[in-house]
C-alpha cells in the first residue's frame, strides 16, 4: 500500500467524477424521493473518501498507456529530474501544502474573530424570546445551551458555534411570534444535526484540495443539502398551513436582507437564507411544499444505489494509469562489487511497482 503521483491522479479523476455525478443526481428530485436527503449526503462522502485515501493496494493493476500521457509525464517528471535537482511535481506539492496551510490558518483566524465579535452582541432576554424558545425546546429531541443574541451588524438570522459556545444571531428587528418561532427552530435544528461541524469539516477539506475545481461544486452542494435536510426536519409532521407560514418567514427574511447592504456570509455559520443563489431558495421551497412525498424511502433502490457506489469505489482502486518508463543506464545505482559482474551478459526487466531485477549469467 503506497501513495504515488499516479494514485493521487486517479483519486482526483474518480473523486471529481463522483462529485459531478452526485450533483446531477441531486438536481433530480426523483433521487431525493427514492433515497432520502440523508442518504444523498452520505453518497457525497464516497467522493470525499476517495480523495482522502489515494492509495495503491496490492491488488491494484498498472495500466501503462503510450502516447500523449507518456510524453507529458516524461516532460514534467523525467526530463526535469535529469536537468535540475527540483522537479515540477515537487514544486506543485510544495505550493499545494503552503496554500493549504494558509487557507486553513486564515479560516481559523476568521472563526476565532467572528466568535469573539458575536460574544459582544446583546443577549435577547425579552419575554417573547424566552417564551418562543421554550416552545422550540418542547418540540425538540434534545436540549442544548444556546445564547440568542441580536445586532444591527447582521442582516440575516444565523447560527454559529461548535464547541462550548453556541449562538443564534438575529438582526435587530421586530418579529411576530410565528416568524421568531420558525427562525429559532430552524437554527436550533442545525445545532441538533451537528450541521455546523459538518460545514467546517467540508470547508477544511476544500482548503486542503483547493486546486480541484470539483471541490467547490461539492462544497456548494453539501451546504444546500444541509439546508434542505434542516427544512425537511423542521416541517416534518407539519400541516400545510404551518408549512406556508415557515416558507413565508423565509421570504420575509430574504426581503429584509435584500433591502440592506450586501454581506457575504461567513462559511462557518448556518444562515436561514442566502441572497447569493436564488435557485437554491426555489429548490428548498419546492421540496418543503412536496415533503409529504419524501417520507417513504425506497429501501431496495437505496440498497442498490449504495451497492453500485461501493463497487465503483472498489473498481477505482483496481487499476492505476502509469506511463511505461524505462530506466536509463545512468540512473542505475551500482556499487563497486557489481562493476565486474555487469561486464558480463546482463539485462534488466521492468516490473510492476517500478522495480527492476538485474539477472547475471547462469543466475
Amino acid at each position: 500500500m503506497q501513495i504515488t503521483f499516479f494514485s493521487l491522479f486517479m483519486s482526483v479523476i474518480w473523486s471529481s467524477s463522483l462529485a459531478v455525478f452526485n450533483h446531477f443526481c441531486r438536481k433530480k428530485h426523483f433521487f431525493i424521493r427514492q433515497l432520502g436527503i440523508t442518504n444523498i449526503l452520505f453518497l457525497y462522502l464516497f467522493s470525499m473518501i476517495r480523495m482522502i485515501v489515494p492509495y495503491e493496494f496490492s491488488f491494484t493493476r498498472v495500466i501503462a498507456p503510450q502516447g500523449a500521457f507518456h510524453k507529458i509525464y516524461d516532460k514534467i517528471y523525467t526530463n526535469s529530474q535529469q536537468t535540475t535537482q527540483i522537479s515540477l511535481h515537487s514544486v506543485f506539492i510544495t505550493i499545494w501544502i503552503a496554500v493549504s496551510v494558509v487557507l486553513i490558518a486564515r479560516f481559523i483566524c476568521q472563526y476565532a474573530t467572528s466568535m469573539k465579535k458575536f460574544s459582544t452582541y446583546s443577549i435577547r432576554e425579552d419575554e417573547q424570546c424566552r417564551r418562543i424558545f421554550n416552545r422550540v425546546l418542547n418540540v425538540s429531541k434534545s436540549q442544548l445551551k444556546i445564547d440568542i443574541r441580536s445586532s444591527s451588524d447582521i442582516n440575516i438570522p444565523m447560527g454559529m458555534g461548535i464547541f462550548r459556545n453556541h449562538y443564534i444571531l438575529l438582526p435587530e428587528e421586530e418579529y411576530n411570534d410565528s416568524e421568531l418561532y420558525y427562525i429559532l427552530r430552524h437554527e436550533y435544528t442545525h445545532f441538533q444535526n451537528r450541521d455546523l461541524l459538518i460545514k467546517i469539516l467540508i470547508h477544511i477539506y476544500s482548503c486542503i484540495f483547493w486546486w480541484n475545481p470539483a471541490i467547490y461544486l461539492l462544497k456548494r452542494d453539501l451546504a444546500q443539502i444541509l439546508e434542505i435536510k434542516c427544512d425537511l426536519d423542521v416541517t416534518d409532521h407539519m400541516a400545510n398551513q404551518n408549512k406556508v407560514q415557515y416558507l413565508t418567514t423565509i421570504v420575509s427574511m430574504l426581503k429584509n436582507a435584500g433591502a440592506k447592504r450586501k454581506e457575504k456570509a461567513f462559511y462557518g455559520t448556518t444562515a436561514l437564507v442566502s441572497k447569493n443563489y436564488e435557485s437554491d431558495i426555489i429548490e428548498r421551497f419546492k421540496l418543503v411544499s412536496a415533503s409529504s412525498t419524501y417520507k417513504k424511502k425506497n429501501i431496495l433502490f437505496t440498497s442498490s444505489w449504495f451497492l453500485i457506489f461501493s463497487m465503483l469505489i472498489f473498481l477505482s482502486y483496481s487499476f492505476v494509469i502509469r506511463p511505461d518508463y524505462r530506466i536509463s543506464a545512468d540512473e542505475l545505482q551500482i556499487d563497486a562489487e557489481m562493476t565486474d559482474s555487469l561486464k558480463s551478459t546482463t539485462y534488466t526487466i521492468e516490473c510492476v511497482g517500478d522495480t527492476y531485477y538485474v539477472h547475471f549469467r547462469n543466475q
Side-chain angles (χ1 to χ4, degrees):
M1 189 171 67
Q2 61 180 343
I3 298 178
T4 66
F5 171 84
F6 308 102
S7 64
L8 179 61
F9 173 78
M10 294 300 295
S11 289
V12 173
I13 297 298
W14 278 100
S15 176
S16 302
S17 300
L18 289 173
V20 173
F21 180 72
N22 278 330
H23 169 76
F24 286 106
C25 288
R26 184 191 69 79
K27 300 298 285 186
K28 304 293 183 181
H29 292 174
F30 165 81
F31 287 94
I32 298 179
R33 185 164 56 250
Q34 297 293 323
L35 294 172
I37 196 68
T38 302
N39 289 327
I40 289 180
L41 179 63
F42 277 107
L43 287 177
Y44 272 87
L45 295 180
F46 277 85
S47 64
M48 297 176 66
I49 291 173
R50 186 60 183 90
M51 191 71 216
I52 295 172
V53 188
Y55 287 100
E56 287 183 32
F57 295 94
S58 57
F59 59 83
T60 303
R61 181 181 177 183
V62 175
I63 299 177
Q66 297 295 326
F69 186 79
H70 171 78
K71 292 178 180 178
I72 292 172
Y73 174 73
D74 189 60
K75 185 71 174 177
I76 295 176
Y77 183 80
T78 310
N79 291 344
S80 63
Q81 287 227 348
Q82 292 174 354
T83 57
T84 64
Q85 295 297 321
I86 302 176
S87 61
L88 292 180
H89 84 285
S90 298
V91 174
F92 169 76
I93 292 175
T94 302
I95 294 175
W96 175 8
I97 295 174
V99 175
S100 298
V101 170
V102 170
L103 291 176
I104 293 174
R106 186 180 70 173
F107 175 76
I108 293 174
C109 292
Q110 288 177 338
Y111 183 87
T113 302
S114 298
M115 287 295 292
K116 184 177 180 180
K117 179 181 178 182
F118 295 157
S119 66
T120 62
Y121 291 166
S122 58
I123 300 177
R124 285 283 301 260
E125 295 181 323
D126 55 280
E127 188 274 336
Q128 181 196 31
C129 190
R130 288 198 302 269
R131 173 168 49 83
I132 298 301
F133 190 58
N134 285 332
R135 282 181 56 193
V136 173
L137 294 177
N138 290 335
V139 297
S140 301
K141 297 178 182 178
S142 59
Q143 295 193 358
L144 304 172
K145 188 180 185 307
I146 295 177
D147 288 340
I148 303 173
R149 297 174 180 263
S150 63
S151 173
S152 58
D153 292 338
I154 59 175
N155 54 19
I156 53 175
M158 63 181 66
M160 186 174 184
I162 59 173
F163 300 114
R164 292 179 300 175
N165 298 324
H166 300 87
Y167 300 128
I168 293 179
L169 308 168
L170 304 174
E172 282 189 347
E173 297 176 3
E174 295 294 328
Y175 304 97
N176 60 46
D177 286 359
S178 176
E179 289 176 338
L180 187 57
Y181 172 75
Y182 289 120
I183 291 171
L184 295 181
R185 188 170 176 186
H186 178 93
E187 296 305 328
Y188 191 86
T189 302
H190 273 307
F191 283 113
Q192 282 189 309
N193 294 340
R194 302 291 188 269
D195 290 342
L196 275 163
L197 177 60
I198 296 174
K199 287 193 70 173
I200 288 175
L201 291 176
I202 293 169
H203 185 74
I204 292 175
Y205 175 82
S206 68
C207 289
I208 296 174
F209 300 105
W210 54 268
W211 41 266
N212 185 358
I215 294 298
Y216 300 97
L217 176 65
L218 181 145
K219 181 180 176 181
R220 178 184 168 182
D221 271 5
L222 288 177
Q224 174 70 350
I225 287 174
L226 292 177
E227 289 301 325
I228 292 173
K229 185 176 182 300
C230 183
D231 290 336
L232 296 180
D233 287 343
V234 170
T235 57
D236 191 25
H237 303 301
M238 272 189 184
N240 288 334
Q241 181 180 358
N242 299 117
K243 291 180 182 179
V244 171
Q245 292 176 349
Y246 177 76
L247 297 176
T248 301
T249 300
I250 293 179
V251 172
S252 177
M253 295 302 102
L254 191 61
K255 287 182 178 179
N256 290 341
K260 298 181 179 180
R261 67 185 187 278
K262 188 171 183 179
E263 178 180 315
K264 187 176 181 181
F266 176 52
Y267 194 80
T269 64
T270 56
L272 178 64
V273 293
S274 173
K275 297 183 289 182
N276 297 328
Y277 305 108
E278 292 184 4
S279 60
D280 290 349
I281 297 293
I282 294 173
E283 182 182 27
R284 290 170 59 185
F285 272 50
K286 290 180 178 179
L287 291 172
V288 170
S289 301
S291 59
S292 58
T293 63
Y294 299 102
K295 291 183 178 180
K296 292 184 179 180
K297 312 300 184 297
N298 190 326
I299 298 177
L300 179 60
F301 184 86
T302 301
S303 302
S304 301
W305 207 246
F306 271 88
L307 178 61
I308 291 173
F309 265 71
S310 299
M311 293 174 64
L312 283 175
I313 291 296
F314 178 79
L315 176 64
S316 71
Y317 285 109
S318 65
F319 68 94
V320 63
I321 299 175
R322 181 186 301 166
D324 183 15
Y325 169 63
R326 297 191 177 278
I327 194 167
S328 65
D330 294 336
E331 293 176 292
L332 283 171
Q333 300 297 323
I334 304 170
D335 56 31
E337 274 183 25
M338 294 180 63
T339 304
D340 294 335
S341 299
L342 286 175
K343 291 179 180 179
S344 61
T345 303
T346 61
Y347 59 92
T348 60
I349 299 176
E350 185 176 4
C351 299
V352 174
D354 293 338
T355 302
Y356 297 84
Y357 293 93
V358 180
H359 294 258
F360 301 99
R361 186 168 50 186
N362 299 326
Q363 294 184 16

